[in-house]
């Protein structure tokens, strides 16, 4: 049994990059109670890499290396990883294949002839049931991804435009707001809830990258993942600065 335990919130929201495609960056939410082996399985689906050969590095918002996730049975939450950090997947298997093939003279080969060869990467993956050739594992990962998307959509649909709410982002103070937008956006994938904060504690005015999703004053707008938004009886608080000494 592992002696490590999860000591923070149940989920962490991070961006994911990989050495095979330096220009791609996606945002994902992971349970902190999963092991590093389980995390690698999820990252395999995201990056197209191989969980058996990948190494995982964690960087903070200033691109400073915080740690390496190299203990397979250790829980993700036992590492010093927080919301907003970046997980970088280094896939030595993919990089080695690219290096090995870079010096080989290229020639045309039909797909039918290629599939008959036994010395190819495709044959290796098929033989060892790795990556996309492990149908059972791929199906399981697709089902997990679908469930996460369905859960996110269900949480979003609990929010209605005009609802009062409280935003509860981990490691940040609670903020009260009004729901102004619910749905998908052009700037990032998934479901988002657009809110107008009671105070200028946001990041925008309801517009992102030139597209207007709703209107509010500068710094009063924000877009939050649905699971961080709690709707209910949250009246505006009285911020009477004249009473302060």
């Amino acid at each position: 049994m592992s002696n490590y335990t999860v000591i923070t919130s149940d989920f962490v929201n991070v961006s994911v990059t990989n050495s095979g495609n330096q220009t791609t960056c996606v945002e994902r939410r992971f349970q902190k109670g999963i092991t590093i082996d389980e995390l690698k399985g999820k990252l395999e689906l995201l990056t197209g890499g191989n969980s058996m050969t990948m190494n995982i590095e964690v960087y903070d918002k200033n691109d400073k290396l915080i740690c390496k996730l190299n203990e397979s049975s250790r829980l993700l939450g036992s590492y010093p990883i927080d919301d907003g950090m970046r997980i970088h997947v280094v896939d030595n298997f993919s990089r080695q294949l690219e290096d090995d093939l870079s010096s080989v003279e290229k020639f045309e080969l039909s797909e039918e002839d290629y599939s008959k060869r036994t010395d190819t990467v495709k044959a290796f993956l098929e033989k060892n049931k790795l990556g996309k050739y492990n149908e059972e594992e791929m199906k399981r990962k697709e089902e997990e991804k679908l469930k996460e998307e369905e859960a996110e959509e269900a949480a979003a649909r609990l929010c209605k435009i005009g609802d009062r709410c409280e935003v509860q982002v981990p490691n940040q103070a609670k903020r009260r707001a009004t729901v102004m937008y619910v749905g998908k956006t052009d700037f990032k994938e998934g479901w988002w809830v657009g809110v107008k904060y009671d105070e200028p504690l946001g990041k925008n005015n309801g517009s992102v990258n030139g597209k207007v999703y709703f209107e509010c004053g500068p710094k009063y707008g924000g877009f939050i993942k649905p699971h961080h938004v709690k709707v209910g009886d949250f009246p505006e608080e009285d911020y009477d600065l004249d009473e302060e000494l």
Side-chain angles (χ1 to χ4, degrees):
M1 293 289 292
S2 172
N3 293 325
Y4 297 106
T5 58
V6 178
I7 58 175
T8 55
S9 58
D10 293 336
F11 295 89
V12 62
N13 298 281
V14 297
S15 57
V16 179
T17 57
N18 73 91
S19 58
N21 188 345
Q22 299 286 355
T23 62
T24 300
C25 179
V26 297
E27 287 202 357
R28 279 295 183 270
R29 175 174 178 251
F30 297 110
Q31 289 185 331
K32 287 191 174 183
I34 63 174
T35 65
I36 300 306
D37 265 351
E38 291 171 329
L39 174 65
K40 286 183 176 182
K42 295 178 181 295
L43 293 174
E44 186 179 63
L45 183 63
L46 281 177
T47 65
N50 189 297
S51 61
M52 297 177 63
T53 57
M54 67 173 58
N55 293 310
I56 307 174
E57 302 170 345
V58 178
Y59 293 85
D60 65 10
K61 296 178 181 179
N62 297 317
D63 277 336
K64 177 183 177 182
L65 178 64
I66 300 301
C67 60
K68 295 184 178 182
L69 310 184
N70 51 16
E71 298 182 46
S72 60
S73 61
R74 182 169 170 176
L75 300 183
L76 175 62
S78 67
Y79 285 92
I81 181 170
D82 294 316
D83 286 340
M85 288 188 175
R86 177 170 62 91
I87 285 180
H88 183 62
V89 178
V90 180
D91 193 339
N92 294 326
F93 177 75
S94 298
R95 188 163 57 189
Q96 180 179 351
L97 288 174
E98 292 174 0
D99 293 341
D100 290 345
L101 294 174
S102 63
S103 60
V104 177
E105 182 180 356
K106 297 180 180 179
F107 63 95
E108 296 294 330
L109 188 67
S110 70
E111 184 175 343
E112 181 180 358
D113 290 337
Y114 178 78
S115 64
K116 294 178 181 179
R117 297 184 58 166
T118 60
D119 58 346
T120 62
V121 174
K122 178 175 180 290
F124 173 82
L125 296 175
E126 284 182 328
K127 179 181 178 181
N128 293 278
K129 294 187 180 299
L130 298 174
K132 66 180 181 180
Y133 298 102
N134 187 334
E135 294 182 3
E136 183 177 340
E137 183 68 9
M138 290 297 291
K139 182 179 179 181
R140 181 184 67 79
K141 291 175 181 177
E142 287 289 354
E143 289 175 349
E144 284 185 359
K145 182 180 179 182
L146 181 60
K147 287 180 180 178
E148 289 179 358
E149 292 174 349
E150 290 175 345
E152 187 175 80
E153 180 179 355
R157 294 193 182 281
L158 294 176
C159 304
K160 303 291 188 297
I161 293 177
D163 282 349
R164 290 291 297 168
C165 67
E166 190 170 65
V167 176
Q168 303 176 341
V169 177
N171 302 319
Q172 295 184 19
K174 295 180 180 179
R175 292 168 286 176
R176 292 191 175 184
T178 301
V179 176
M180 303 292 290
Y181 176 85
V182 179
K184 295 190 175 183
T185 67
D186 292 341
F187 57 86
K188 284 183 182 177
E189 64 179 19
W191 286 76
W192 294 85
V193 178
V195 301
K196 180 178 72 174
Y197 291 111
D198 294 349
E199 299 178 271
L201 301 173
K203 295 183 177 180
N204 54 62
N205 63 351
S207 302
V208 179
N209 296 333
K211 180 171 181 178
V212 179
Y213 294 91
F214 62 92
E215 295 183 353
C216 67
K219 299 296 184 180
Y220 277 84
F223 289 87
I224 314 297
K225 276 301 182 181
H227 46 270
H228 293 323
V229 179
K230 181 180 180 181
V231 297
D233 183 17
F234 297 107
E236 288 192 40
E237 297 177 338
D238 185 14
Y239 302 102
D240 191 349
L241 300 180
D242 293 336
E243 295 183 358
E244 293 187 6
L245 297 180

